[in-house]
Amino acid sequence: MTQEQLRLAEKNAHAAHWKKFGPYLTERQWGTVREDYSHDGNAWDYLPHDMARSTAYRWGEEGIGGISDDEQLLCFSVALWNGNDNQLKERLFGLTNGQGNHGEDVKECYYYLDSTPTHSYMKMLYKYPQRAFPYQKLLDENARRSRQEEEYELLDTGIFDAGRYFDVFLEYAKAGPDDILIQVTVHNRGPRRARLQVLPQLWFRNTWSWGYDDYRPEMHATKNGSVSIHHKRLGRFHFYCDQKPQLLFCDNETNGVRRYGLPREGRYFKDGINDYVVQGDKSAINPEQIGTKAAAQYNLTLAPGQQRVVRLRLSKAEWDAPFANFDRQFATRKQEANEFYDCIQEALTNPDARNIQRQAFAGMLWSKQYYYYDVSQWLDGDPAMDPADPGRRLGRNRKWRHLYNADIISMPDKWEYPWYAAWDLAFHCIPLAMVDTEFAKTQLRLLTKDGYMHPSGQLPAYEWNLNDVNPPVHAWATWRVYQMDKKLHHGRADTQFLEAVFHKLALNFTWWVNRKDKSERNIFEGGFLGLDNIGVFDRSAPLPTGGKIEQSDGTSWMAMFAMNMVRIALELAKTNPVYQEMAGKFFEHFLYIADAMTRGGDGAFNLWDEEDQFYYDVLHTPDDSRTKLKVRSIVGLIPLFAIEVIEQDLLDSLPEFTARARWLIENRPYLAKLVSRWEEPGKGARHKLSLLRQDRLRKLLTRMLDEKEFLSDYGIRAMSRYHLTHPYVFSTPDADFSVSYVPGEAESSMFGGNSNWRGPIWFPINYLIIESLQRYYFYYGDSFQIEFPTGSGKLHNLKQVADALSERLTRLLLKDEQGRRPAFGNAELQQTDPHFRDHLLFHEYFHGDNGRGMGASHQTGWTGLIVRLLT
């Protein structure tokens, strides 16, 4: 075992808490739902970026490349000042949903470069301009641009031209669970001498201002130039700063003067260090060098090309010579990180692919965040605050008073999405399980716990609307992570994990049946289901026609859910025969859903269109008429995902389930027709359970693999390119509703307009397509061949098709023959500059025609699935 694997084992055995400290700060606490105490629920405007430096947060803390303990009591991050900005650079800047021409977007340049699972070594890079940061220029130009134009990014401003910026590398190495070495390395990339102030900052999360516990922790300067830190729940820590810089102190408390126009009363506020450094206000910091926030002030001058290093140490132990063995310990942890990833990447020999995969893992691990949200307290307000607006109790998340979250959770993107989303989290767990299966399992269990799952059985969607609905992929992720964990431990299965999640998901399945199939026809609704603008209408809003949408994707997701539950129950039945009955129940429900997909639930109207050879959503209006909404999108491809292959040996060992399945097939012949070749073993005496018989599978794949429709050079598009010249139009007496192929950013404001499912390439859907094709191949073997691409005359088996799609997806980030990465688009600095070209961004989605990265720029979460595709 490597040293990092030993640390993981110690943590899992509760022998040493190597994950006590980690990258648990968010990158944006301002503008979040949790910090919103407005009367109208406008979170973006209630606490904007400009007021963030002056406002003590209620629910969490933010910083650039920062760390905290796992309760976020003590926080650390680095602030910077180039001498030109009107404020310290201590948080990332970006546009709100209303300011960006495609919704909210971070306007900074930073990269996660490395991290081990225990965070024993971490590295990130922030690029800081030497000239004044173009805050207003970014605001003005994005406001000027329309939704049909590209976003105006920081690189577009020219602020990095001629290398006039600092590369600031932040590195952490743990000498022990409570002993953290910190190194800040600054490079002057410009042609001139430049000055920079580096201000490492420590502070306590404000837990004393809300009226529950007035205990105030403390940090103060010592005679030897260190900072002594004490918190009743953490004990005593010491912060050592090499080269004896000046220490500055204030308090993590709201500046009432700036925020509300209140009198100052001789206090030292959260923005005190900012005001001292930027404005020269000496009255803003505490001369007694005591408080709840502190900074070390380093004034650096760097010649062109020069680098300077700042060394720090945060330790529970008291050291006479804290930097005596600093460099050696840092080098050791770096080497141990290399050894750990050498094991993970043993079969991956391409240096560029190894770099991409390692940075993807880094992004996944850096995107952990301490997420704190008590809905009851948030709705009612705190005792020390002004009384809450009565309207809050009738507003957002009012039905989720039971929800109490205070955990380390994997975030989609800690700036653009600094809150968990149910289906994102499920996808995160697949790449996370490659490096830390215990953390992946913990994440999957988390959302099914009582403080998360609603008493009705619903999983929370995301903080903007906990009551919304994400696709039910939790069972799929649970089964996959269970299999990965079992393989890692050489066949030793964690059935306790599998069983615990299974029971909660059975409740969630029942919730879906009761709430999203109200007509009891096994045709499901579900709303937007994570696919923001995919449809003709906003699927989470009342329809302009009245009635409801019978969703092809919602129904297919439920078929997949039922099948995943069958497979989990069969696994559990190996050691507890009681689960055979549960497997039979979910098997039966799968058959009913499959029947509804084919015959419409009442035998009158189905979701499959024989003429178009495709699945569509159906509009069911109050006059009981039905209309197929003929938009060719991934909504019609999701039936592919409902596929499971079961070995004959497993069936032989479970006679009760096998007898129930045989009875259904023999006594319900209309259902038997739906289960493609269940009684006819495939390759290796295997049985296939899927929504698609072979002829329909072939028809669907023929359309999906057509380059004039879904198949791009970089994967499967979310919408067919057919709609570029053939928009779908649905007319009502009041308006026409149109859907066209849009390969780039969204051109509509539906669901905020910051995501687009009308043409781009999305990793999670592509990953499920690839996995499904692999499962079909597992059953058919070489007996099923199809043209790839459609019309090429070249036949391939389904494994070859899956491999080809994987290659197209990884092509997005890999260098081509000219050394260019499609995801970087036309950004020449990123494509060619040696200080940019090998630092990766893992975007939310990618342009459907040219592969340019778009949306959230650090959504390593589900785009991190690339780690499973690189070979």
Side-chain angles (χ1 to χ4, degrees), residues 634 637 703-721 741 759-763 765-767 769-770 788-789 801-812 822 846-851 869:
I634 52 172
L637 300 179
R703 191 174 293 286
M704 184 184 84
L705 300 177
D706 188 336
E707 291 177 311
K708 298 188 297 295
E709 296 227 25
F710 287 95
L711 183 61
S712 160
D713 286 344
Y714 306 104
I716 300 299
R717 303 177 174 106
M719 185 170 288
S720 170
R721 207 171 188 276
Y741 171 74
I761 295 152
W762 290 77
F763 257 84
I765 298 298
N766 274 266
Y767 185 84
I769 289 171
I770 290 167
F788 180 84
V801 174
D803 290 345
L805 290 179
S806 294
E807 188 274 331
R808 292 189 182 216
L809 282 168
T810 57
R811 194 186 297 169
L812 285 162
F846 300 84
H847 194 285
D849 293 338
N850 61 38
L869 305 179

Side-chain angles (χ1 to χ4, degrees), residues 252 286 652 688 836:
N252 184 19
N286 191 332
D652 291 341
K688 178 166 74 71
F836 278 84

Side-chain angles (χ1 to χ4, degrees), residues 494-513:
D494 189 354
T495 54
Q496 185 176 356
F497 154 74
L498 193 65
E499 191 170 19
V501 179
F502 176 83
H503 282 286
K504 288 300 188 73
L505 289 180
L507 295 176
N508 182 236
F509 189 93
T510 303
W511 176 86
W512 270 90
V513 171

